Amino acid sequence: MAKKILRGFRFADIPVWIKNAFLTILKGRLLITLKIERYFVHIIYTFFLFWVSIYLGMKIEKTMTRVEENRRRLEDIEIFRAHKQVELTRLQRMSTVQEMLEAKGSSVGIPEKPAERIK
């Protein structure tokens, strides 16, 4: 039997290693070459967990974006509602004042045209 001679690291071996790694990946023998074929199920399970994690993260981000957009719309609607409520309150006060003036017999009412300046 011939003895296998161990030799040290050489930079000339790097392209050969890269070529062998590339061919191993292309032929589908990566797990066998790395001697981790018994962990194949664990690798698939880990890949699945990563995929689910990324997918759920994307869904959560999309939902949070929609929530923020709806929150902005709700603020706009609340501002509009408050404005309408102020207008309604003002109109109710004007009618109350007008009724009180009419009850006292006053001829003062809501102006029909804007005030004019006297020179």
Side-chain angles (χ1 to χ4, degrees):
M1 266 198 220
K3 284 189 174 181
K4 191 173 186 181
I5 300 173
L6 297 175
R7 55 189 174 112
F9 173 78
R10 291 187 341 193
F11 284 108
D13 293 338
I14 292 176
V16 175
W17 289 343
I18 292 173
K19 180 183 138 204
N20 288 340
F22 183 71
L23 291 175
T24 303
I25 291 171
L26 282 180
K27 292 178 183 177
R29 291 192 228 151
L30 179 64
L31 296 177
I32 296 170
T33 304
L34 295 175
K35 298 178 183 161
I36 55 173
E37 64 272 3
R38 63 181 165 209
Y39 301 115
F40 180 71
V41 175
H42 298 89
I43 293 169
I44 295 297
Y45 181 68
T46 304
F47 173 76
F48 176 74
L49 287 179
F50 282 139
W51 183 82
V52 167
S53 174
I54 291 169
Y55 178 76
L56 289 177
M58 289 172 52
K59 289 301 244 182
I60 289 170
E61 187 67 32
K62 184 178 179 181
T63 303
M64 293 303 292
T65 302
R66 198 174 334 144
V67 165
E68 287 298 321
E69 187 177 305
N70 288 339
R71 185 173 291 143
R72 275 189 242 113
R73 286 182 187 168
L74 187 60
E75 287 175 2
D76 291 342
I77 291 171
E78 286 176 353
I79 290 169
F80 181 75
R81 183 186 146 278
H83 180 69
K84 288 295 182 183
Q85 190 172 4
V86 166
E87 283 183 15
L88 182 63
T89 305
R90 187 177 56 170
L91 289 175
Q92 288 174 348
R93 286 184 186 160
M94 287 175 60
S95 63
T96 306
V97 170
Q98 189 174 3
E99 288 173 3
M100 288 178 6
L101 287 172
E102 287 177 0
K104 296 286 185 182
S106 175
S107 63
V108 178
I110 299 174
E112 295 176 4
K113 59 181 184 174
E116 296 178 1
R117 292 185 181 222
I118 300 175
K119 293 184 182 180

